[in-house]
Amino acid sequence: MKKHRGSIINYLNTTTQNAAQAESAYRVEKIDAEHIIPNEKNFYSIEGVEEMANSLAVSDHMPPLEVVDNGDGTYRLISGERRLSATLCRIRRGELEKATLPCHILPAFTAKGALSAEQVEMLHIILANNYRQKTALDQLNEVRQMEPIARAIYEDAKEKGALAESEGSSLNMRFRTFFAKEILDISEAKLQRLQSLTKLTEKAKEAFDEGLIGQTIAVQMASLSPEEQDSIVQKVRNGTCTGTYAEFKDWLEGRKRAEEEEEASLPLWEEDGETHISDSIIDGGTSEAKTSSTAAEPLTGKEPQRSAETSDADSAGAYEDVAETSDEDASDVEAFTPQVSERTEDQIPQPLAERDADAAPTLSALSVG
């Protein structure tokens, strides 16, 4: 990853007027190495400690470390963890009984602009490691730690109207563009790839950091499930696969073919689908089991319309059922069934339009029967 551009430094300088101080403004003291405490916020890997210890054994010239006074006789390390680790290594090896190291003592961190005191301290740690050779995992962790800091700077600049895409434009620069170009000095595509790596499992991250799998494979592995990621890493470590992109691509294609074959083997419907349809109709309030042809009718909740022939046939069947009853029942039916052919012309009611409008309605006219 490229070194961070001047956006962050400029923001600190213009916002705080005291963030970037000359080295002469720092206090330089000799501090016992065992009184310097590594910073828990420092996420960068430490490599080459033995080599640096051997180098210091030949020449003990060392650039000053950067520390912050904790107020209890100890100092919190901001920059120079590898130098401190190499010195402590020499003490453990018996080359030194005691060692004092030159240190710049920084003032206590405070909130500056839109950044909190902890964010300012984290930013100093990142800037102190700006020019070192970083591993892939270092770059990934750096992006994760820088994102909330960049977001705070972005929102502050947005409120001040300093993020317009062009002069006179009301549109602001997108945060992704600001984060990639102004803070990290990388392309948006690379930023997106780095952010996708956050979905890797711990085992996959370790394999990626060790170089067992490349970044291209790691980006595609990030879209897999944790179980699949760990399984691939285990195969690479066991030697059952080489971890090359061509092999990983073949594995992806085989996985895709297996999913397609499994999907193609599924039936379009259940074999007992007719039973399920009948049951659903029964649950809707019909107690009779329906045939497949009945179930094919749309379930609109309305009574299906019958044709005139069906209605006549049903009516004829109903009267035939009445005719098959007992003689006594049949006589009752005949007694209460009006015979239209025997009614006289006087008995036929006149249309409402021909009646006297002032005449009171008869009981027969009021009858709903």
Side-chain angles (χ1 to χ4, degrees), residues 254-268:
R255 176 174 175 266
K256 183 179 180 181
R257 285 194 301 268
E259 291 177 351
E260 291 176 350
E261 291 174 359
E262 181 181 0
E263 183 177 356
S265 64
L266 296 176
L268 295 179

Side-chain angles (χ1 to χ4, degrees), residues 8-233:
I8 299 177
I9 300 298
N10 291 337
Y11 176 80
L12 291 177
N13 288 342
T14 56
T15 305
T16 64
Q17 283 89 38
N18 62 354
Q21 302 180 34
E23 288 191 0
S24 58
Y26 297 148
R27 281 190 300 127
V28 180
E29 293 184 7
K30 289 279 189 175
I31 299 176
D32 189 340
E34 296 183 344
H35 292 171
I36 302 174
I37 302 175
N39 198 316
E40 60 181 9
K41 293 184 176 66
N42 193 338
F43 55 86
Y44 291 100
S45 58
I46 304 175
E47 299 176 354
V49 175
E50 293 285 342
E51 291 79 358
M52 176 162 280
N54 297 334
S55 177
L56 291 177
V58 177
S59 175
D60 58 355
H61 174 71
M62 182 184 298
L65 284 67
E66 290 187 341
V67 297
V68 175
D69 191 349
N70 290 328
D72 57 358
T74 63
Y75 296 84
R76 186 169 70 257
L77 187 64
I78 301 299
S79 172
E81 189 163 356
R82 194 161 73 103
R83 283 166 279 169
L84 174 62
S85 299
T87 302
L88 296 176
C89 178
R90 295 185 64 195
I91 294 175
R92 289 193 301 269
R93 292 193 308 198
E95 300 176 7
L96 300 172
E97 293 184 0
K98 185 178 180 180
T100 57
L101 301 176
C103 298
H104 287 308
I105 301 179
L106 302 175
F109 293 106
T110 58
K112 299 181 185 301
L115 305 180
S116 64
E118 291 185 354
Q119 289 177 325
V120 172
E121 182 173 348
M122 174 60 72
L123 187 55
H124 275 77
I125 293 173
I126 293 174
L127 293 176
N129 291 274
N130 207 12
Y131 297 94
R132 64 171 291 176
Q133 189 68 27
K134 302 169 187 175
T135 66
L137 193 58
D138 288 339
Q139 296 181 34
L140 174 60
N141 290 330
E142 187 174 276
V143 169
R144 295 175 62 182
Q145 296 295 335
M146 282 293 296
E147 186 169 358
I149 296 175
R151 175 71 69 177
I153 297 175
Y154 174 82
E155 295 296 336
D156 188 35
K158 184 178 178 181
E159 291 180 1
K160 296 177 181 178
L163 292 177
E165 290 185 348
S166 60
E167 186 176 355
S169 175
S170 60
L171 298 177
N172 291 319
M173 182 188 302
R174 295 187 311 160
F175 172 72
R176 181 186 292 275
T177 305
F178 174 81
F179 188 28
K181 294 183 178 180
E182 300 297 329
I183 303 298
L184 301 178
D185 194 20
I186 60 176
S187 66
E188 293 186 55
K190 184 174 183 179
L191 173 60
Q192 187 173 3
R193 289 194 298 270
L194 287 173
Q195 288 177 327
S196 67
L197 296 178
T198 59
K199 299 179 181 178
L200 290 174
T201 63
E202 292 301 323
K203 292 182 179 180
K205 287 179 182 178
E206 292 175 2
F208 174 53
D209 193 42
E210 295 171 14
L212 294 178
I213 56 176
Q215 182 171 343
T216 304
I217 297 177
V219 170
Q220 297 195 32
M221 281 181 59
S223 62
L224 303 178
S225 65
E227 293 77 13
E228 289 176 319
Q229 293 184 38
D230 292 344
S231 176
I232 293 174
V233 171

